[in-house]
Amino acid sequence: MKICLLILLCSISGYLAGQPVCASVEEKKLYDFIMSYRKSKRLKPIPYSEKMTRVAQTHVRDLVEHFDYENRGDCNPHSWSDKGSWTPCCYTPDHRQAKCMWNKPKEISGYEGEGYEIAFYSSDHAEALEALEGWKGSTGHNPLLVNSGTWSTLEWKAIGVGIYGQYAVVWFGILEDPSTLVVCK
């Protein structure tokens, strides 16, 4: 029993212990959907990043366990709790705390560049296609997916995905982090 529990905990949270990161089937779908969407816009694919996925998977778990979407006050889902080994951050609508969020990839995974996140919330369970459709229809999120507006001068060279419970997040970076996407078995 203890061995099975240990194996389960390692497979669920290995990303926190510096072990190789694997993507769930739904996270792999999200990555593939985003790449297909970019291809339809004649954009290059974004290479998968293990470090950015580590950040994404850590964040969705923090959101599920410590963020109350219905009673969040001024903090939006780009916020980070004070319940982990990271600097807590209340990301407000005026973006004054943006730097705190942008630094999370370095703080959590050692990714040397800043990271930019899009987040999706579902009152039920987040699913890849639902998240992508939500972001595509959002004037604040779609530009990151297709490098338009403020993001038009950047080339994404790393992407990480996380889906857990009611949340899906995607992290984008401009520095390379060559990794192989491994799907959890």
Side-chain angles (χ1 to χ4, degrees):
M1 179 86 160
K2 287 182 183 179
I3 292 173
C4 291
L5 180 58
L6 179 60
I7 291 169
L8 177 62
L9 287 174
C10 286
S11 66
I12 291 173
S13 62
Y15 60 92
L16 292 175
Q19 297 175 1
V21 175
C22 64
S24 70
V25 170
E26 201 65 18
E27 289 166 339
K28 169 76 164 78
K29 282 184 194 176
L30 180 55
Y31 175 80
D32 291 342
F33 287 152
I34 292 170
M35 294 312 111
S36 178
Y37 178 51
R38 287 179 59 82
K39 185 176 182 178
S40 77
K41 300 289 185 185
R42 296 191 172 142
L43 297 168
K44 295 191 316 189
I46 307 168
Y48 170 79
S49 166
E50 184 177 310
K51 288 179 180 177
M52 293 301 239
T53 294
R54 183 181 309 270
V55 177
Q57 290 177 347
T58 301
H59 196 204
V60 289
R61 280 165 177 76
D62 183 48
L63 288 167
V64 167
E65 294 168 10
H66 305 292
F67 185 77
D68 184 352
Y69 189 83
E70 302 300 326
N71 298 301
R72 64 185 181 262
D74 286 338
C75 302
N76 70 30
H78 298 302
S79 301
W80 290 74
S81 77
D82 61 358
K83 306 287 191 248
S85 60
W86 50 77
T87 306
C89 173
C90 175
Y91 194 107
T92 55
D94 61 11
H95 306 288
R96 287 192 178 172
Q97 300 299 321
K99 193 77 170 162
C100 174
M101 187 263 291
W102 296 342
N103 289 333
K104 288 299 177 259
K106 186 172 190 170
E107 186 177 353
I108 291 171
S109 70
Y111 180 81
E112 289 300 321
E114 291 182 334
Y116 308 95
E117 178 189 55
I118 56 176
F120 175 81
Y121 171 79
S122 170
S123 59
D124 189 17
H125 281 28
E127 294 180 357
L129 188 56
E130 177 188 27
L132 178 62
E133 292 302 321
W135 290 323
K136 284 168 56 175
S138 167
T139 58
H141 297 94
N142 190 58
L144 279 91
L145 292 168
V146 296
N147 294 95
S148 66
T150 303
W151 311 100
S152 64
T153 60
L154 299 177
E155 179 183 350
W156 301 133
K157 295 184 180 177
I159 188 171
V161 296
I163 298 177
Y164 184 71
Q166 299 93 341
Y167 293 92
V169 301
V170 175
W171 281 81
F172 300 88
I174 59 171
L175 298 180
E176 292 180 6
D177 175 40
S179 308
T180 302
L181 196 153
V182 176
V183 178
C184 304
K185 301 273 181 189

